[in-house]
Amino acid sequence: MKKVAIIADGWRKFVNYAWMGGCRQYIKENNSDVNLYVFHSFGDYSMDEKYNIGEYNIVRLPNFADFDGIILELTNVTNPEVKEQIIRKARESGVPTVSLLEEFDGCFFSGTDNHSAMSRIVRHLIDVHDCRVLNFVGGPLDNAENLERFQAYKDVLKSCGIPYSEERVFFRNFEIETGILAFDEFQSRGKVPQAFVCANDNIAIGICHRAEDFGYKVPQDFLVTGYDNFDKASFYEPRITTAGFVREDISYRAMGLLHDIWEGGNKKRRVYSKVNCIFQDSCGCISKEPRSRGRYVVERIFSEDDENKMQNEILMLKREMLNCESFARMAACIPKNLTTLQYDALYILVNEEIASCGDYSSVEMENETQYRVNGYPDDMTVLLSDVRDHVGREDLSLKAGRLIPGAEEKEGGHLFLFSPLHFRDREVGYIVMKNCDYLMDSQMLFEVLNTFQETMENMYHRVILKRMNEELSLLYIRDSLTGLYNRMAYSRLAVPLFEKCMDEGKPLLILFIDLDRLKYINDTFGHDMGNIAIKAIAGTLQRCSPEEAVAMRYGGDEFVVLVPNYTEKRAETLVKEITTQIKKQKKLLNTAFPIEASIGYAVTTEKNMKSLNDYINLADERMYSVKKEKKAERI
């Protein structure tokens, strides 16, 4: 079985499924034992550059050397650094790579001859319609297809003896707004031509639309041509003259190239799909096979109905997710609430640091998770593994070269779609869907991913805020000098522990510790030395107290420790241990002053109605008796 990696970027909120569809068609028709692994992003959709960085991180997930072939569709990737990284990674893998629509050194090519098709359109305007003044309106200057079409425009002008003028050229992007802005620019400078040559249909429609606002008519006042043969070209009024090709045929031929390479046959470097020029109303021609606008309206009605259903499901999904208390429960909402989803398997994987944060039941205080923007950690937590109605969990190690939980596919004919999960530029994980072709015919993939990411990020920030508040709360009840709890912890921690032991009928040991001769130390050696003595006692209490104990600095030189489940006998042992450790601490510090403490204690019983304060006072009295005996011995 062969494995082919496809790297593709979406167009707005849409997956360009034509590229996957052509590959699927080739595999089916030729009974090829091939699986497709599509690493898809929406990296050119948002104006937030950090969001786009998070999207493009998905291309760092696969090790291209693990594949038998690579197909790149990078025409929508406008970030030159990202594009170069992808191409370099493919080259370094040594795996045969086919680029769609754009030619790159070291890669095979499957695409169209933009130059020839655009040349035919421009020559048609000149030879058939006698145009001598032609403006060009193009898309991004870093887009290869745009530049090929622009070069054809210039070459035809030169061959026909028509002077080229930069004043008659306008570049922006491939959206309708480019046509609107271009017309405003040319009209304001008195440069309205006999014909507008546009790099795509969107731009051509923008020209026609804006011209109408100024009272112009197309094609009566000037001609307009487009490119790409989008549906809107034939359904707009006037119908737009354009050039079109079958996108599926380009990726179909790309798979054929890879197949020839695997078989050791004819290794052509380039294959081309046919481009048809369609001359229609906008250049003054009559369309030979006009498409029905009525059919288009019907399709739009049903498309809007499907979109409304999708949006309602997305809203229900978001509502359900907002009620979840963990990322795992949130992930489980997707198959439960999105009834229109069709796939053979769905996996959601996140990095372990993020997974550990998304759980309100966790009471551990952890630092904020690692901020990763490049690549993925070796170990991933599987939030969801939904395989044909069987839900399971199996964490995944990427070090082993596996990208999907479970056994590796042993037969071809499958498509796996990988999409990134991220908080802006911060890596979170990724989602995998097996054989989800239906999902890619609409904006649903984008909407599902966006909804899941937004609710995950909201929960993540709520958890972090909760933990920050807990940390601040702990700082409020912590003594800054010793690190023990302070007197404010009495009601927050000590009283609840006392009440719990009383309710459960368990004994509670209350220790009252007083540092001996603190005034003498302060007066003779200074308050800094007094602080050293206080910290020495506090440190000993921290080391000797069991994990479940609550140790407090009760006053300047007074300490209280509450230890659950301690009897009188265990209390005596603990007091001796603390006394011994204080003596060891004195020797370790080698101070010129004594470090000693007097300790009294009391153990609660379930037979009386004393309060915690009563027991603390009792332990204090016993401590004072010990202190008096020490003074008597010194005299």
Side-chain angles (χ1 to χ4, degrees), residues 425-613:
D425 61 339
R426 182 178 195 167
E427 176 274 327
V428 170
Y430 59 94
I431 185 169
V432 190
M433 282 186 255
K434 177 182 177 183
N435 299 331
C436 56
D437 302 59
Y438 164 82
L439 182 62
M440 294 186 279
D441 285 338
S442 69
Q443 297 181 8
M444 194 166 195
L445 176 63
F446 177 89
E447 296 293 348
V448 170
L449 290 172
N450 197 47
T451 299
F452 187 55
Q453 287 179 159
E454 281 185 359
T455 48
M456 276 187 74
E457 189 169 9
N458 286 337
M459 175 181 287
Y460 173 79
H461 287 307
R462 291 201 306 270
V463 171
I464 294 300
L465 180 61
K466 178 174 180 265
R467 293 183 175 179
M468 289 175 65
N469 287 333
E470 289 174 350
E471 289 177 357
L472 288 172
S473 179
L474 286 174
L475 287 174
Y476 178 67
I477 60 175
R478 288 280 186 187
D479 176 56
S480 59
L481 177 64
T482 65
L484 297 178
Y485 293 115
N486 59 27
R487 187 69 176 265
M488 302 300 297
Y490 179 82
S491 59
R492 292 281 300 276
L493 300 176
V495 172
L497 179 58
F498 172 78
E499 292 175 347
K500 183 174 183 292
C501 288
M502 293 299 98
D503 291 341
E504 296 176 358
K506 296 178 181 178
L508 177 68
L509 168 65
I510 295 97
L511 295 173
F512 199 104
I513 304 97
D514 186 87
L515 173 62
D516 293 338
R517 306 178 70 186
L518 178 60
K519 185 176 186 305
Y520 162 74
I521 298 172
N522 285 337
D523 293 345
T524 307
F525 300 96
H527 285 272
D528 288 344
M529 296 298 103
N531 287 343
I532 289 176
I534 290 172
K535 289 196 287 185
I537 300 298
T540 301
L541 294 177
Q542 284 179 318
R543 288 188 294 273
C544 294
S545 298
E547 184 178 352
E548 64 273 17
V550 174
M552 299 179 291
R553 186 182 179 192
Y554 204 62
D557 57 356
E558 296 174 336
F559 304 88
V560 170
V561 180
L562 280 64
V563 188
N565 297 323
Y566 260 57
T567 60
E568 288 276 352
K569 186 175 181 180
R570 294 185 70 190
E572 291 173 1
T573 302
L574 181 57
V575 170
K576 289 178 181 178
E577 182 185 355
I578 292 172
T579 303
T580 300
Q581 291 300 321
I582 290 175
K583 290 179 180 179
K584 289 182 179 180
Q585 188 69 9
K586 164 66 174 71
K587 289 181 180 180
L588 183 64
L589 293 172
N590 194 26
T591 59
F593 50 84
I595 299 179
E596 299 174 351
S598 300
I599 305 174
Y601 68 88
V603 178
T604 64
T605 65
E606 56 182 331
K607 296 181 179 179
N608 59 59
M609 300 298 291
K610 290 181 181 179
S611 66
L612 174 59
N613 196 51

Side-chain angles (χ1 to χ4, degrees), residues 52-328:
N52 295 337
I53 290 172
E55 283 291 306
Y56 286 132
N57 191 50
I58 194 67
V59 302
R60 298 185 178 94
L61 177 62
N63 178 5
F64 284 162
D66 293 338
F67 292 85
D68 303 288
I70 303 169
I71 294 176
L72 304 179
E73 201 292 283
L74 307 180
T75 54
N76 291 332
V77 180
T78 58
N79 186 317
E81 293 182 5
V82 171
K83 185 176 289 190
E84 178 55 36
Q85 288 172 7
I86 296 171
I87 297 166
R88 183 174 64 251
K89 184 179 177 183
R91 288 194 194 114
E92 292 173 351
S93 72
V95 174
T97 301
V98 183
S99 174
L100 308 184
L101 301 178
E102 288 186 86
E103 294 197 53
F104 301 114
D105 291 340
C107 298
F108 296 87
F109 172 78
S110 180
T112 63
D113 189 344
N114 285 280
H115 190 280
S116 295
M118 181 59 85
S119 295
R120 291 202 300 273
I121 289 177
V122 179
R123 280 198 171 276
H124 176 83
L125 293 172
I126 295 171
D127 296 343
V128 177
H129 298 290
D130 198 28
C131 294
R132 307 295 295 177
V133 182
L134 299 91
N135 291 9
F136 184 86
V137 185
L141 282 170
D142 57 358
N143 181 274
E145 290 186 291
N146 177 66
L147 294 179
E148 289 173 4
R149 296 167 191 179
F150 176 52
Q151 187 62 48
Y153 161 81
K154 292 196 296 181
D155 290 346
V156 172
L157 291 187
K158 183 178 180 180
S159 66
C160 294
I162 299 174
Y164 165 75
S165 172
E166 291 187 358
E167 293 184 351
R168 294 195 174 276
V169 174
F170 185 95
F171 293 99
R172 191 174 177 87
N173 56 39
F174 286 130
E175 304 299 335
I176 289 175
E177 65 171 358
T178 295
I180 294 172
L181 294 173
F183 188 85
D184 286 347
E185 177 70 18
F186 291 132
Q187 200 274 338
S188 66
R189 293 192 284 110
K191 298 291 184 181
V192 175
Q194 291 175 292
F196 283 97
V197 179
C198 301
N200 81 341
D201 297 333
N202 282 339
I203 297 172
I205 288 172
I207 292 281
C208 295
H209 179 75
R210 188 59 172 157
E212 187 176 350
D213 293 340
F214 283 90
Y216 291 94
K217 298 291 183 182
V218 178
Q220 291 88 337
D221 295 313
F222 51 78
L223 312 183
V224 178
T225 64
Y227 204 103
D228 286 331
N229 193 26
F230 295 148
D231 285 345
K232 63 188 74 175
S234 292
F235 297 129
Y236 191 73
E237 179 65 43
R239 301 179 194 273
I240 303 297
T241 288
T242 186
F245 53 91
V246 179
R247 283 167 173 75
E248 286 83 354
D249 186 59
I250 292 175
S251 54
Y252 183 97
R253 291 171 181 267
M255 279 300 306
L257 266 178
L258 289 176
H259 184 267
D260 288 345
I261 294 169
W262 296 333
E263 295 296 317
N266 179 24
K267 295 186 179 180
K268 293 184 288 186
R269 300 297 303 182
R270 300 175 182 84
V271 290
Y272 293 92
S273 294
K274 182 180 179 181
V275 180
N276 294 315
C277 292
I278 304 166
F279 301 106
Q280 304 192 105
D281 305 346
S282 68
C283 75
C285 291
I286 298 174
S287 178
K288 294 180 180 180
E289 296 179 358
R291 298 173 67 181
S292 170
R293 290 193 175 102
R295 182 61 189 169
Y296 177 72
V297 172
V298 172
E299 290 174 356
R300 287 299 303 166
I301 290 173
F302 282 98
S303 176
E304 289 178 6
D305 183 60
D306 289 340
E307 185 171 341
N308 287 335
K309 290 177 181 176
M310 177 193 73
Q311 292 298 336
N312 286 335
E313 285 201 338
I314 292 295
L315 287 173
M316 292 176 63
L317 173 65
K318 193 167 189 176
R319 183 190 65 191
E320 290 293 322
M321 285 183 174
L322 288 173
N323 293 326
C324 293
E325 295 184 351
S326 71
F327 290 150

